[in-house]
Amino acid sequence: MVTIELEIVRQIFIGIICNLLIIDSGLNEGWSTPIIPKFEQDDPLKVSSDKVVWVVNLMYVGVGLGSIVPFLLMDRIGRKGTLLFATIPKIISWILIGLAATVTQLYIGRIIAGIGCGITYSVMPMYLGEVSSKRTRGPLGTLMAVLLNTGMMLAYAIGLYVSRFTMSMISVTIPLIFLVTFIWLPESSVFLTKKNKLTSAERTLKWALGKDDVVEELEEIKRIVATEDLKVDMTFTRSLKQIYERRENRRAFRIATIVLSALTLTGAAPLLAYQSFIFEEAGFEISTNVSIVITGCAIVLAGSVCVMLVRIIGKRLLLLISTPVCVLSLVTLAIFFGLLSCGHDISRIRWVPSVFLVIYVLGYGLALNPVPLAYVGEIFHIDVKVPAAIFCSLYYAITTTAVVKFYQVLQESYGTYMPISVFTVITFFIWLLIYRYVPETEGKTLEEIQMELRGQN
């Protein structure tokens, strides 16, 4: 019993330290919501509306660029070394964003911030998936999204009441703390085994799992890592070939595309980034700042519930429960703004956006936001983890950039109801895809997941 408790304590300790970098990414994601309105108010830097969308989007462009870095570094300096490298652009970006006197400097700062986030999103799920046990892999994977949301909530709470410079100086402390704490954590045991450093891999397992007998876990990792040419590093080209040649890899990429679409194509990024304008358009009595803080708290609360429930009911069922909640919320929002654009009297229902955006955030935060990262960290075979990490980050960056721009264009051309209506249809379609193609992985070892993927069409 003592050994089990030590395992849980160690795993939580690893999760907290690792997710400092995720909290920082949440600060970058949530930064635009409180800061964008300041460009029209008290910020010395004035940014026009057509440039504001790029202030939001260039971070996601940086995420795409940052996803290439793991290909260059991850199999050379390891998962740990790559994550330590990610702190460099994160620290530089906050300083540049806080001191930016021109729009160009702000653009550069956001791109550099995105690069750091891209590295984090590519490598952190993999690192946590490889150092955690099957008991804690699900909660730790979903904890990433919870703390990403915590970072967003902190961005709302801090950014609404302080200047751009002050927020940046507060935020830069997070990657600095990560740097001085994460450096003491071990390298991934899977990476060490792949490099044939079995003694180090065993030492890492003993420390991370908090027990002396790790023969079973080490043998599992050896089986995962075993390939036809174990002593020859898998080239990127060969990894790409493995995607098409092996059934489990094709299925893993299909699952990743579906769950990442749930994360990005359901409209959360633009709805959260532009929520201050949504609340102002609705004209509800509660202040915009209060509504924004409530949505920030809601997404953290929902993610925390996810962490508690994921081991009990599984990731797949959480997805199937949360998606229709988002669909119903989006339908209601689309109807409200449709009535508003047609000139109907909506004075009695101005509360609808504030309430149903929170309900949407609760549904999104329950599974669509936290669960995809957990899936990505555990479904890919060792042979394709590098191209998989790059694919996932690029897909996230491209789809989020497209969705934010899509929202702006349709909102300005037709009204708020139009992009929300499109998000409703997409979210419903994703619900069907999850039901048809996404399996349950909760409580299974990495080897069991690969065996299940290999055995299905």
Side-chain angles (χ1 to χ4, degrees), residues 95-336:
I95 295 172
L96 192 54
I97 288 170
L99 297 176
T102 66
V103 175
T104 301
Q105 292 171 351
L106 191 61
Y107 283 171
I108 295 172
R110 290 288 283 171
I111 291 174
I112 295 174
I115 291 172
C117 292
I119 300 171
T120 303
Y121 296 153
S122 297
V123 184
M124 190 63 77
M126 190 180 303
Y127 178 83
L128 282 176
E130 292 177 354
V131 300
S132 57
S133 65
K134 69 177 182 179
R135 291 187 59 200
T136 59
R137 190 173 296 119
L140 283 180
T142 52
L143 182 65
M144 281 189 290
V146 174
L147 293 179
L148 182 72
N149 297 333
T150 301
M152 293 176 64
M153 183 186 69
L154 289 173
Y156 300 163
I158 297 169
L160 288 170
Y161 303 104
V162 301
S163 68
R164 170 168 53 94
F165 173 79
T166 302
M167 180 181 176
S168 296
M169 295 305 103
I170 294 172
S171 300
V172 77
T173 61
I174 302 296
L176 287 172
I177 295 172
F178 172 84
L179 184 62
V180 298
T181 54
F182 182 73
I183 197 170
W184 302 105
L185 292 189
E187 178 57 88
S188 155
S189 54
V190 174
F191 172 77
L192 292 171
T193 304
K194 186 178 180 182
K195 294 300 182 183
N196 211 24
K197 299 179 179 179
L198 299 181
T199 303
S200 297
E202 184 179 5
R203 190 184 307 119
T204 291
L205 283 171
K206 287 181 177 179
W207 186 87
L209 301 182
K211 59 183 184 179
D212 294 326
D213 183 9
V214 293
V215 174
E216 182 181 344
E217 290 83 357
L218 188 58
E219 287 301 316
E220 180 199 344
I221 291 173
K222 287 179 183 178
R223 290 193 296 269
I224 293 172
V225 171
T227 60
E228 293 180 1
D229 302 305
L230 181 59
K231 295 183 180 179
V232 180
D233 286 342
M234 178 70 70
T235 65
F236 189 69
T237 303
R238 287 181 60 203
S239 294
L240 289 176
K241 285 184 64 179
Q242 290 292 317
I243 296 171
Y244 300 101
E245 291 176 354
R246 303 178 68 156
R247 175 185 296 177
E248 61 268 34
N249 291 338
R250 295 194 302 269
R251 183 166 172 79
F253 271 85
R254 181 173 66 189
I255 294 167
T257 301
I258 293 171
V259 296
L260 288 171
S261 296
L263 177 65
T264 61
L265 298 183
T266 50
L271 290 176
L272 291 174
Y274 290 101
Q275 61 182 299
S276 59
F277 300 102
I278 292 174
F279 293 138
E280 288 174 8
E281 184 179 353
F284 189 41
E285 292 178 355
I286 295 180
S287 75
T288 298
N289 286 3
V290 171
S291 297
I292 289 173
V293 171
I294 290 173
T295 59
C297 293
I299 198 168
V300 173
L301 174 64
S304 302
V305 172
C306 176
V307 172
M308 291 186 288
L309 293 180
V310 68
R311 285 189 60 200
I312 301 171
I313 66 176
K315 293 189 279 290
R316 182 176 185 270
L317 184 55
L318 279 174
L319 286 170
L320 292 174
I321 292 172
S322 67
T323 311
V325 173
C326 293
V327 171
L328 293 174
S329 303
L330 290 169
V331 166
T332 306
L333 288 169
I335 291 173
F336 173 87

Side-chain angles (χ1 to χ4, degrees), residues 5 143 173 261 306 344 352 449 454:
E5 291 301 323
L143 182 65
T173 61
S261 296
C306 176
H344 291 280
V352 165
I449 293 169
R454 193 178 303 124

Side-chain angles (χ1 to χ4, degrees), residues 3 11 23 29 85 94 118 122 134 143 145 149 155 189 193 216 229 256 268 309 346 361 369 371 390 417 427 434 455:
T3 302
Q11 298 276 290
I23 291 174
E29 296 253 14
F85 178 82
W94 281 123
S122 297
K134 69 177 182 179
L143 182 65
N149 297 333
S189 54
T193 304
E216 182 181 344
D229 302 305
L309 293 180
I346 46 85
V361 165
N369 180 251
V371 168
I390 294 172
Y417 77 94
T427 307
I434 291 170

